[in-house]
Amino acid sequence: MSLSIQNLRANIGDREILKGLNLEVPKGEVHAIMGKNGSGKSTLAKVMAGHPSYEVTSGDVLLDGRSLLEMEPDECSRSGLFLAFQYPMEIPGVTIANFLRAALQARLPEGEEIDAVAYYKDLYAKMDALKIDRSFTSRSVNDGFSGGEKKRCEILQMAMLKPSYAVLDETDSGLDIDALKIVSEGVNALRGPDTGFLVITHYQRLLNYIVPDVVHVMVDGRIVLSGDKSLALKLEAEGYDWVEKEAAAAA
Amino acid sequence: MSAVIEEIDTPTAWPDWFRAQQNAALADYEATPAPTRKDEAWRFANIGALDLSAFRPAAPVSSEGRLINLSTGLAGVSAKMVFANNALLHQDTGRLPAGVLLKPLDVAAREDEALFRKYFMAQPVELGSHKYAALHKARVATGAFLYVPKNTEVTLPIELFHWVEGENASVFPHTLIVCGENSKVTVIDHFRSADQKRAFACGVNDLHLERGAQLTYIGVQDWARESLAFHINSTIVDCDALATSLNANFGGGFVRGESLSRLTGEGARSVMLSLNPMDGERQIDQRTLQDHVAPRASSDLLYLNSLDGSARTIFAGLIKVGEGAHRTDAYQKVRNLMLSDEAEANSMPGLEILADDVRCTHGATTGEISDDELFYMEARGIPRQTGRRLILNGFFQTLLERLESEDLRTYLGGMVSKKLSVPV
């Protein structure tokens, strides 16, 4: 059981961003992808979730053996993939409670209705754990939220939807240290044998709180190096130049 | 001669002096030429939709009991009146505070002649439908008359139901509200069809707010889809009074709405809201005037349209700041959300400023549902069509946030969601 990315190539317009990327995240593990701006990290996240702006030219993404590339974005989500957005969208007039309810309702068989009492109980418990004020249930999704509130709201959604694989795209960006801790605790609470994580980040800082099993380095649309968590520390101390040189030498 | 102007079989027992006014109004209706597209007040309008020849006076309804039972809205109200086909079917006014008058219009004309004469259709109709206002005056048979005396607050809303039944039936709903100094009240007008047949509604609602009064007026228009309707409003706001009006148009095939807010005293404020989910071949034509007569008054207009199918909207709004209306603060905005390539939105915001030191903002925007918002919803497993409905529903819910009462927000929000098939 894994989230398996195989020789993935993807374009936006005429420009190739992903250039034959291979990556395997076994269920139950936490993998991190680090890389400089422009290396293609966020593109990878969006392509996996089915964003219509990208064209996949070859390769595949398999979630426990099922191709995500053949699915609409909503099917990808219901199949067990969760993407925590780097820039979560604001949706005026749609409350968090109704939004999440619609998302959970979409997972039920036709004709079956969500149990509203149980739903609110679950929602409030998870909001409390993430230190999100309960009044947020009646606020519009991300509308007027601070950066930290948006990211906590993403983790809340992840906790409610219980994905089998979660991709966190730069979840640490825009967070102060307190918010970072809360968000990391939220992620760690979901770690376990039933969930795989792919944590995309620019900085090593997040990985002090969400300790990865494997760290991958992305350069120019490919994974060029993988290692344990010490690799993240080395990148933090020495930068990316040496990796790029090694990658260039190998190519 | 069109049948719509024929007298009904059992005419209202209006006083003689009002009869004379009605006869004059009928002559006025007949003498006034029908609008043409060359008239500024009818620019872009579908003049062809104004053919009244098929319409007839409404006959008495088949089952009064059924319509009375169907006249439900908010959970808690302080009074209720039910009208159908130009007749009063039911009134429940026993729980109103002392001194509040809520009675049929024709009763008010006899019992409260001075008040009635002072306020009944006292404002000239300036937004284009003078002819149809004259028709209304000539044929109005009853309606609601509400007078809230000085320093009186009616805590729970008053609900008024105006029904039409029968093919080509014509109704002339009327609501006249007078709020005395520092009084406070909320009124909901429900306009409903008892069947899915095409009908003609020609309604007037006039709202008068004396010094410091607060009125929330909600019009929920849900006529049958083929119907032709006029809704002509004037709102007169005196010093420090606050009028909040919201017109929700869910039904009707062709609806012409005219709303005038006249700010006659310093510190007066009028909030003018409208939400219009349009689909099919339905058309709505709204003309508004924010008429600033007094200084230091404010007005705030926000109209939201969504357009699906080959729906068509017209919004023409004018902010007029008269000489001496210094330090006016006026805002006007219309937002069109296009859901179809076949739909057509026409927006004509306008300003006319004759005073100094004023702040006036107006604008119209037309856009589509954002792909990024849709993708975000899909990324949570929400199917695309459901996501579109949720976003559309949200578009209108933002307007309801402007209402003070949570009960009203919940009720109207539920109604919008139901109309858009969004689970709540």
Side-chain angles (χ1 to χ4, degrees):
Chain A
M1 303 285 258
S2 68
L3 182 64
S4 176
I5 303 163
Q6 301 174 348
N7 191 32
L8 188 65
R9 290 178 176 270
N11 295 349
I12 186 160
D14 294 333
R15 202 153 64 91
E16 185 169 60
I17 310 282
L18 302 182
K19 301 176 178 174
L21 187 141
N22 291 290
L23 181 65
E24 181 107 359
V25 182
K27 193 172 272 185
E29 294 188 5
V30 175
H31 288 220
I33 292 186
M34 299 185 70
K36 295 207 311 200
N37 279 337
S39 58
K41 303 188 301 292
S42 285
T43 295
L44 174 64
K46 287 179 186 160
V47 166
M48 281 194 280
H51 195 287
S53 298
Y54 299 90
E55 185 200 356
V56 175
T57 53
S58 74
D60 210 344
V61 181
L62 301 175
L63 187 149
D64 295 340
R66 295 176 63 197
S67 173
L68 291 175
L69 300 183
E70 286 164 16
M71 299 181 194
E72 296 296 323
D74 57 319
E75 293 177 88
C76 293
S77 167
R78 294 196 301 273
S79 300
L81 183 78
F82 183 88
L83 170 62
F85 282 57
Q86 181 178 7
Y87 302 109
M89 292 304 300
E90 299 183 5
I91 307 182
V94 179
T95 64
I96 288 179
N98 284 348
F99 178 63
L100 272 170
R101 203 166 134 165
L104 288 168
Q105 181 69 49
R107 287 161 167 78
L108 296 179
E110 189 126 353
E112 203 173 305
E113 284 292 322
I114 205 162
D115 176 348
V117 175
Y119 163 66
Y120 273 99
K121 200 178 160 201
D122 189 23
L123 180 61
Y124 285 145
K126 287 180 169 131
M127 291 177 84
D128 293 349
L130 285 162
K131 298 187 172 64
I132 300 172
D133 193 276
R134 290 184 179 194
S135 66
F136 270 60
T137 49
S138 57
R139 286 185 58 180
S140 296
V141 176
N142 295 321
D143 194 14
F145 287 20
S146 70
E149 285 167 344
K150 284 181 182 172
K151 295 301 173 76
R152 269 185 280 168
C153 185
E154 292 292 288
I155 303 305
L156 172 68
Q157 293 175 41
M158 179 171 75
M160 291 297 289
L161 298 178
K162 302 186 183 71
S164 37
Y165 298 93
V167 179
L168 310 183
D169 186 10
E170 306 266 7
T171 291
D172 50 335
S173 67
L175 293 188
D176 62 29
I177 198 73
D178 292 328
L180 188 68
K181 281 181 185 167
I182 292 166
V183 163
S184 303
E185 281 167 20
V187 173
N188 289 331
L190 297 171
R191 281 181 86 156
D194 297 330
T195 316
F197 288 89
L198 185 59
V199 180
I200 294 172
T201 181
H202 197 69
Y203 299 106
Q204 186 273 338
R205 187 179 69 153
L206 177 68
L207 305 181
N208 288 334
Y209 299 97
I210 304 173
V211 179
D213 298 303
V214 183
V215 174
H216 306 277
V217 185
M218 191 161 171
V219 173
D220 193 24
R222 275 184 288 258
I223 301 295
V224 296
L225 187 64
S226 302
D228 63 14
K229 63 183 179 187
S230 64
L231 179 56
L233 292 168
K234 185 172 178 187
L235 288 167
E236 181 81 358
E238 300 177 19
Y240 287 92
D241 287 353
W242 63 275
V243 187
E244 288 178 355
K245 277 181 195 137
E246 281 183 19
Chain B
M1 182 163 151
S2 158
V4 71
I5 60 170
E6 285 168 20
E7 186 99 58
I8 50 175
D9 292 344
T10 50
T12 307
W14 288 108
D16 288 343
W17 58 265
F18 188 73
R19 275 278 166 208
Q21 286 190 14
Q22 287 199 300
N23 291 338
L26 187 60
D28 187 7
Y29 168 71
E30 290 181 323
T32 306
T36 71
R37 291 190 74 158
K38 288 184 187 147
D39 299 334
E40 183 58 30
W42 293 87
R43 258 185 92 194
F44 297 112
N46 180 4
I47 299 294
L50 304 179
D51 179 6
L52 305 185
S53 57
F55 299 114
R56 306 265 172 284
V61 296
S62 56
S63 167
E64 296 194 358
R66 174 177 164 258
L67 293 187
I68 293 168
N69 287 336
L70 286 173
S71 296
T72 56
L74 285 168
V77 295
S78 61
K80 186 197 262 194
M81 291 178 97
V82 181
F83 302 92
N85 284 14
N86 305 312
L88 174 74
L89 299 193
H90 171 78
Q91 59 179 326
D92 171 13
T93 57
R95 279 159 293 147
L96 289 168
V100 175
L101 306 177
L102 177 63
K103 53 178 77 175
L105 208 55
D106 46 312
V107 175
R110 288 192 299 271
E111 294 179 354
D112 310 280
E113 185 182 328
L115 271 177
F116 184 96
R117 280 179 181 267
K118 184 174 176 191
Y119 293 107
F120 179 82
M121 296 188 77
Q123 302 296 322
V125 172
E126 298 168 28
L127 295 174
S129 283
H130 171 82
K131 182 177 175 71
Y132 303 99
L135 175 64
H136 174 92
K137 189 171 183 180
R139 284 295 164 256
V140 64
T142 187
F145 174 86
L146 170 65
Y147 175 76
V148 185
K150 193 173 173 175
N151 299 328
T152 302
E153 178 176 352
V154 183
T155 45
L156 291 174
I158 293 170
E159 277 192 307
L160 308 168
F161 293 84
H162 308 269
W163 292 91
V164 65
E165 182 186 282
E167 182 99 48
N168 291 323
S170 308
V171 290
F172 301 93
H174 195 107
T175 299
L176 173 56
I177 300 171
V178 180
C179 300
E181 277 185 30
N182 300 317
S183 65
K184 188 173 180 184
V185 66
T186 295
V187 177
I188 305 169
D189 257 340
H190 296 273
F191 302 100
R192 297 183 182 180
S193 288
D195 48 39
Q196 286 309 307
K197 300 199 169 114
R198 179 168 195 259
F200 172 55
C202 182
V204 169
N205 69 80
D206 286 335
L207 320 175
H208 297 267
L209 289 83
E210 292 177 355
R211 180 183 289 268
Q214 290 183 47
L215 168 64
T216 300
Y217 172 85
I218 313 286
V220 185
Q221 182 272 108
D222 200 11
W223 303 120
R225 290 178 64 91
E226 306 287 314
S227 299
L228 167 61
F230 289 85
H231 289 274
I232 302 166
N233 152 261
S234 63
T235 301
I236 313 300
V237 194
D238 203 349
C239 292
D240 300 320
L242 169 62
T244 304
S245 61
L246 189 160
N247 288 292
N249 289 289
F250 295 116
F254 179 92
V255 177
R256 166 93 178 189
E258 297 184 7
S259 290
L260 173 156
S261 276
R262 179 163 293 136
L263 300 137
T264 58
E266 288 194 31
R269 177 167 173 78
S270 183
V271 179
M272 304 162 75
L273 308 171
S274 186
L275 66 89
N276 308 300
M278 303 297 295
D279 60 0
E281 297 181 347
R282 296 170 52 230
Q283 302 191 26
I284 189 162
D285 178 355
Q286 293 177 301
R287 314 275 162 158
T288 67
L289 175 60
Q290 293 154 266
D291 188 13
H292 283 261
V293 179
R296 282 180 284 278
S298 64
S299 61
D300 186 353
L301 179 147
L302 178 61
Y303 277 31
L304 301 186
N305 300 319
S306 68
L307 295 94
D308 208 345
S310 53
R312 194 160 176 268
T313 62
I314 299 170
F315 171 83
L318 180 65
I319 295 173
K320 190 170 158 186
V321 182
E323 280 179 51
H326 304 296
R327 306 196 51 194
T328 284
D329 187 349
Y331 184 84
Q332 180 198 84
K333 175 117 190 184
V334 57
R335 292 179 62 199
N336 301 306
L337 184 61
M338 308 303 290
L339 305 173
S340 150
D341 293 339
E342 311 297 316
E344 178 191 324
N346 302 278
S347 307
M348 295 173 279
L351 289 174
E352 186 184 311
I353 300 173
L354 300 173
D356 303 321
D357 189 19
V358 300
R359 192 166 70 180
C360 293
T361 313
H362 71 159
T365 61
T366 298
E368 294 170 16
I369 287 181
S370 136
D371 282 338
D372 288 333
E373 287 178 33
L374 264 182
F375 177 68
Y376 188 66
M377 291 214 154
E378 290 180 282
R380 298 301 174 248
I382 298 170
R384 197 171 178 86
Q385 281 310 318
T386 308
R388 283 175 69 89
R389 284 208 306 274
L390 281 170
I391 291 169
L392 175 59
N393 189 48
F395 174 68
F396 290 119
Q397 301 294 343
T398 58
L399 185 99
L400 301 178
E401 286 161 15
R402 305 285 293 272
L403 297 175
E404 186 189 318
S405 153
E406 188 176 349
D407 286 349
L408 273 181
R409 288 198 302 268
T410 305
Y411 173 72
L412 292 167
M415 191 137 188
V416 170
S417 299
K418 198 174 148 204
K419 291 288 172 188
L420 300 174
S421 307
V422 172
V424 283

